[in-house]
Amino acid sequence: MANATDLALAHHLADLADGIARRYFTAAGLTVHTKNDGSPVTDADWEIEHSLRSEIRRRRPHDAFIGEEYGERGKARRRWIIDGIDGTASFVAGEPEWSTLIALEDHGTITLGMVSAPALGSRWWAAPGAGAWTGPSPSRSPAHSRRLTITPGGHGHDAVLGIWPPPHRLSEPHRAIAAKLAGHTARTRPALDWSAAETSTPPPRKPSTGSGTCHGGLLVATGQLDAFLLLGAGPWDIAALIPIVQEAGGAFSDLAGQQRTDTGAALFAKPAIHHELLAVIISST
């Protein structure tokens, strides 16, 4: 399990990532590369992941590590899961809603999650049994943290559901699931025809854009969405959000109802709505 020392290390790693990201974010002429899947990556993504990997190796030499850009290093009971910059497109566009995602896994269970968004001056973190919190970096303002609490209850037919990515980037089975859930809920963000395979014009914005958070899972933890469906994701996109949503009072699973980060999908929601939407997913597959 994560402990106070692990949480302190996660904040330290987030501080390191914040410093690197700020340097690139405010610099002119940021170089953008294109990965094999067509998504953007920058030198900031690479440097953050390399720096955090090196710091974890120095401070926790027996822990394993996996990151979006450089893959996995080592096999161990404990594993750090890192996304150097989540929301690289926003980062490149000069928009503030991007973040570094940091998680710690112990025997297959995520025991610590942290999301740091320096351009917003915000951070979110949680560990099982310790609550979910938001505030500035404790090193900058240690006395201004606020506990997150999700209002329970609700029904799927009244729910606001965030879904990402947009339909044209989804596989046909995932697009069918998104369309099924969109038809079951009151409205979706973004408001799209989730059964359509065509590219929309203009390109849709993520559910988090303009909301003051960086990730759809955080919108659930902060009460701005009732549910969020993330499809085609890696463990680095999901892991850090799990304890934050759960400690705030929400629920998480993959599309089969399992507590896994390696199946490419995540459903975050208020507990009653999560149960309802998961039943819709399972009945349609």
Side-chain angles (χ1 to χ4, degrees), residues 200-225:
S200 57
T201 304
R205 306 300 298 271
K206 282 186 179 181
S208 55
T209 299
S211 64
T213 57
C214 305
H215 192 294
L218 292 177
L219 296 179
V220 176
T222 55
Q224 299 173 70
L225 280 178

Side-chain angles (χ1 to χ4, degrees), residues 111-144:
T111 61
L112 182 153
M114 179 165 299
V115 179
S116 188
L120 292 171
S122 295
R123 193 171 287 186
W124 301 261
W125 64 92
W133 301 85
T134 185
S137 166
S139 65
R140 293 175 177 269
S141 184
H144 291 85

